[in-house]
Amino acid sequence: MVTPGVAGSPQSASRHCDVPTTRLPPGSVAIHAVSACLPLPGDQDGNRSTLGTMSTPSGLIDRIAVIGAGFMGGGIGAEFALRLEHDVRVTLWDARPGGAATAVARAREVADALVEAGILLPEVATRRLARLATADTLAEVTDGASYVVEAVPEDLPTKQEVFRDLDRITGPDVILASNTSGFDPADLAKDLSHPARVVVAHYFGPAFLIPLVEVVPHPGTDPWVTERTAKLLSDAGKRPAVLGRFVPGFVANRLQQALFREALHLVRDGVATPEVIDEVARFSFGPRLAALGPFTVADFAGLDVYAALSTNVWPDLSAETASDAPPAELASHVASGTLGVKTGAGTYPWPPEQVQAVTARRNRALGDALRGMRDDD
Ligand SMILES: NC(=O)c1ccc[n+]([C@@H]2O[C@H](COP(=O)([O-])OP(=O)(O)OC[C@H]3O[C@@H](n4cnc5c(N)ncnc54)[C@H](O)[C@@H]3O)[C@@H](O)[C@H]2O)c1
């Protein structure tokens, strides 16, 4: 059984929670990375490492490879290059010719966003962009790397093939970290010679502006892999949250889907339009959640108040289950190809100038939030 805990809490004291907290580059503002640590699978079952007598890798990770240099991989690679205080080389490879070079060119935008957010000084950002490089093959990108980020499309056979290739060409002490949005790390580690070095490190887009990364080991992940991953993320200014085990959607997407299901329910029932629901979320509990989190909000409200609210509200909440998914609203958008911003329309129309304005607003708000975080947050 997994006991929840956070770094520094009594129950976590002897666990894998010694994720260091500060690792900011000179010229950066202080942003605290914290691990919502839970006991790792190895705690229950002892050392499950398949590494035999190999000593646990230690020291700084100074060579990082990124496989799949698209929206997420490009942002993750750029952030490692820009935010790690120690010297690092980040090499990107993409199956699409020119894909890695495009990502390196776009790293300038990441640098500008971090400068704009007050996270990096302009001269530091410019200097660190030189840490990025491209490779022409999988063998070349992984050469000398001790940490590999997999960010290829969310297709299980594609990812499994990448992991089999990586397992073949990299040593057993090279961490293989997947940015999968929802696959079980056990399925990625399946049939590998060295499954113990596989872990999920799930970012949120845009990777360089959202601090948290969900770190999800599988039952056979060696504890040093999870710890080293969390340490690297922390060194790069992220807030790693280590989960006790895999569940579909991890934590954040489960919470977001619960909210979205209820939002659809309210629109269907004629209670509020999408515009009103967006307004309510943005200007009421949204900002407060960013400061407190749901359990702290409940403690501030009073648990008696929450008990009364749950009695009153829960019977009326959406009760849709798996057989109702995907909901008709989403299915019809998918069928008509109105997929949101990327196709120019979704729930709302998205002309380019509107996309630009809302992207700027989002980046400004996220940058402000990032800059406003303190070491003791
Ligand atoms: N988009 C998001 O907001 C988001 C958020 C969190 C996690 N993720 C996850 O990140 C991963 C990547 O998503 P994305 O949005 O960056 O997709 P993307 O399409 O922007 O990037 C994927 C890249 O991988 C390349 N690629 C395809 N097959 C490859 C292979 N076999 N080897 C090497 N490169 C290959 C593609 O050319 C492309 O450049 C997915 O697993 C996705 O679920 C996405």
Side-chain angles (χ1 to χ4, degrees):
M1 157 139 171
V2 170
T3 311
V6 294
S9 69
Q11 71 265 44
S12 71
S14 63
R15 299 296 189 176
H16 304 279
C17 290
D18 52 346
V19 177
T21 52
T22 308
R23 61 298 83 190
L24 286 175
S28 314
V29 298
I31 292 173
H32 183 76
V34 52
S35 173
C37 322
L38 297 172
L40 300 176
D43 285 354
Q44 288 98 49
D45 297 4
N47 180 12
R48 303 190 200 189
S49 171
T50 59
L51 299 182
T53 56
M54 196 193 84
S55 61
T56 302
S58 59
L60 295 174
I61 290 175
D62 58 4
R63 297 289 291 269
I64 295 171
V66 177
I67 317 299
F71 173 62
M72 294 303 291
I76 293 167
E79 188 184 43
F80 274 133
L82 287 161
R83 297 216 47 198
L84 281 171
E85 187 170 0
H86 65 267
D87 201 17
V88 67
R89 185 147 190 86
V90 180
T91 311
L92 299 104
W93 178 72
D94 197 283
R96 188 171 55 82
T102 303
V104 170
R106 295 199 66 183
R108 180 75 254 178
E109 293 167 28
V110 177
D112 290 346
L114 291 175
V115 169
E116 172 84 5
I119 303 297
L120 279 182
L121 294 173
E123 59 274 21
V124 174
T126 300
R127 195 171 61 242
R128 290 185 179 165
L129 282 174
R131 293 169 163 183
L132 284 162
T134 63
D136 293 328
T137 62
L138 192 63
E140 194 189 329
V141 72
T142 52
D143 187 28
S146 43
Y147 186 87
V148 179
V149 175
E150 173 277 302
V152 306
E154 191 78 355
D155 174 69
L156 188 58
T158 304
K159 285 191 187 285
Q160 285 175 323
E161 190 181 341
V162 169
F163 272 84
R164 280 195 299 273
D165 289 344
L166 290 169
D167 190 50
R168 206 168 19 81
I169 65 175
T170 62
D173 57 345
V174 176
I175 294 174
L176 306 181
S178 175
N179 184 45
T180 176
S181 297
F183 291 133
D184 187 338
D187 287 335
L188 302 174
K190 205 166 73 175
D191 301 332
L192 303 193
S193 310
H194 300 286
R197 53 16 192 297
V198 173
V199 70
V200 163
H202 175 236
Y203 286 71
F204 297 79
F208 49 95
L209 288 177
I210 307 265
L212 194 122
V213 181
E214 291 173 309
V215 177
V216 191
H218 63 84
T221 301
D222 206 306
W224 71 260
V225 173
T226 310
E227 286 169 8
R228 207 159 150 75
T229 298
K231 161 89 168 78
L232 177 71
L233 291 166
S234 182
D235 284 350
K238 309 306 284 185
R239 297 177 77 108
V242 182
L243 310 193
R245 67 176 176 87
F246 166 80
V247 279
F250 310 137
V251 170
N253 278 328
R254 289 175 84 96
L255 296 177
Q256 290 198 122
Q257 284 298 313
L259 177 66
F260 193 71
R261 177 173 61 177
E262 185 57 29
L264 281 178
H265 178 65
L266 291 170
V267 173
R268 258 182 230 160
D269 267 15
V271 176
T273 61
E275 288 84 352
V276 168
I277 290 175
D278 277 0
E279 185 81 358
V280 168
R282 282 184 63 205
F283 296 105
S284 64
F285 64 85
R288 192 176 59 191
L289 268 183
L292 302 181
F295 284 102
T296 311
V297 166
D299 269 355
F300 269 74
L303 298 183
D304 52 334
V305 176
Y306 258 53
L309 267 172
S310 63
T311 308
N312 184 23
V313 178
W314 284 22
D316 200 52
L317 291 176
S318 166
E320 287 180 284
T321 59
S323 56
D324 303 305
E329 293 88 338
L330 294 184
S332 73
H333 276 296
V334 171
S336 65
T338 50
L339 305 180
V341 168
K342 64 185 169 189
T343 58
T347 300
Y348 306 120
W350 287 106
E353 61 279 7
Q354 182 70 357
V355 174
Q356 212 174 7
V358 175
T359 303
R361 184 180 85 203
R362 178 200 66 185
N363 288 0
R364 199 173 51 246
L366 292 174
D368 287 350
L370 206 52
R371 190 172 45 246
M373 273 181 211
R374 299 281 179 270
D375 256 9
D376 57 354
D377 272 349

